[in-house]
Amino acid sequence: MSERKVGETFGQVFEKAEGRIIIAMFASNVHRIQMVADAAVRHKRHLCLLGRSMLSVAKVSMLLGYLNIPEGLLVDVDSLDRYRDDELVVLTTGSQGEPMSGLSRMAFSEHKKLEIRPKDIVLVVALMLVSVGLVLLYVFFLKDFIAEHNIKLL
């Protein structure tokens, strides 16, 4: 899938989302982090970066000028309760099914600060380099939890 198509998909998801949007992807993909930030601005949502690698990559990328995140867009995970669900995007790791990733810990109610809940949309953004079988296994593993909690997985 081209980066242009990924951007269009982000736009469609943001347009239709009624609750929080939780996006799992590689922390090292700075271009896609920028795409998420741009979509958050366009759709008047705040962005929460979750996980050490996501936070450190974003911080360094902003310092070096590779990532442009407007003032006031970023919110800390501890302040999420101050916003309505339809005002939030959470960007985390876990697109490859890593058991200790932010997405996995959220999905299994093991994250200290955030759980996936009904009306959330979970978007797993994986690279084609990764085995499709691994991603499908991950989705299959989470599907019972997701179905039980009425969560949309894209």
Side-chain angles (χ1 to χ4, degrees), residues 46-50 54 73-78 80 88-92 114:
H46 294 279
L47 177 62
C48 175
L49 302 176
L50 201 56
M54 190 65 73
L73 182 67
L74 289 178
V75 295
D76 186 76
V77 68
D78 291 323
L80 292 180
L88 294 169
V89 179
V90 176
L91 190 53
T92 189
L114 192 64

Side-chain angles (χ1 to χ4, degrees), residues 54-139:
M54 190 65 73
L55 287 165
S56 61
V57 166
K59 181 178 179 180
V60 170
S61 298
M62 288 167 55
L63 287 171
L64 295 174
Y66 295 119
L67 187 58
N68 180 22
I69 297 184
E71 187 80 28
L73 182 67
L74 289 178
V75 295
D76 186 76
V77 68
D78 291 323
S79 67
L80 292 180
D81 289 341
R82 298 180 193 156
Y83 302 93
R84 294 188 328 261
D85 286 355
D86 65 350
E87 296 177 321
L88 294 169
V89 179
V90 176
L91 190 53
T92 189
T93 56
S95 62
Q96 310 312 306
E98 308 93 321
M100 293 306 295
S101 68
L103 182 61
S104 291
R105 289 183 292 131
M106 280 185 266
F108 294 105
S109 301
E110 295 172 357
H111 197 281
K112 294 176 184 175
K113 308 210 177 200
L114 192 64
E115 283 186 25
I116 298 173
R117 56 186 182 221
K119 291 205 175 183
D120 285 347
I121 290 182
V122 178
L123 181 60
V124 179
V125 183
L127 296 174
M128 291 307 290
L129 300 173
V130 178
S131 165
V132 172
L134 176 63
V135 174
L136 289 176
L137 180 62
Y138 181 51
V139 170

